[in-house]
Amino acid sequence: MKKGGAVLLIIGGSIGLIQAITLILGGAIGLRLGEDYSGLSFIMGWVGLLFSLSLVILGSFVFRTSELKNAEYSLCSSIIAVLLATGVFVTILITAIEPDDDDWTFRLNAMGILWASGWYIGIFLVFGVVGSILAKFGIKLQEPEPNKSIHDG
């Protein structure tokens, strides 16, 4: 269970890295072209990159060692990242609705950033939450190996 959680952490972090880099590049192009919400997209990409990188690093530590603190750090990192992505998602969703003479419509630019930004990174960071929980239970259930001395031939 520990190794499965660590692999899930590494996979979620790796795919999150790819999505964050794509978001950074898209935000940079959007900034250059003067698109709406491209600055937010660029910043969300860097934040997603940092959290995804932390998941990959912590996942490798969980895979290598049996210390519970690495699984707890990855769980905290994943939860914070998912909450940030969800907060941005909900904020953009609320601000994307604008009343237009009793007809509520969505702004298309806001919807584009909604689907391209925090939503996908948040999905892959949920893998981090699940992987951290699996690794934490796996470390707790793991039986300690008895110490063998040199003289126990």
Side-chain angles (χ1 to χ4, degrees), residues 51-137:
F51 279 112
S52 297
L53 189 62
S54 73
L55 281 186
V56 171
I57 291 169
L58 289 169
S60 65
F61 284 153
V62 167
F63 194 76
R64 193 184 76 203
T65 64
S66 291
E67 294 180 13
L68 192 59
K69 68 177 182 177
N70 293 327
E72 291 171 351
Y73 290 156
S74 63
L75 181 63
C76 290
S77 175
S78 300
I79 288 174
I80 290 170
V82 167
L83 289 176
L84 282 174
T86 304
V88 170
F89 181 80
V90 169
T91 303
I92 292 175
L93 183 64
I94 290 172
T95 60
I97 301 172
E98 60 182 20
D100 185 30
D101 298 331
D102 297 328
D103 182 28
W104 291 77
T105 58
F106 284 104
R107 288 184 278 171
L108 293 178
N109 292 341
M111 290 305 293
I113 192 71
L114 188 73
W115 291 111
S117 297
W119 180 248
Y120 288 123
I121 293 174
I123 288 172
F124 297 124
L125 291 173
V126 168
F127 288 166
V129 172
V130 174
S132 299
I133 292 172
L134 282 175
K136 191 172 178 178
F137 284 130

Side-chain angles (χ1 to χ4, degrees), residues 148-153:
K148 295 183 179 181
S149 66
I150 299 173
H151 301 293
D152 290 342

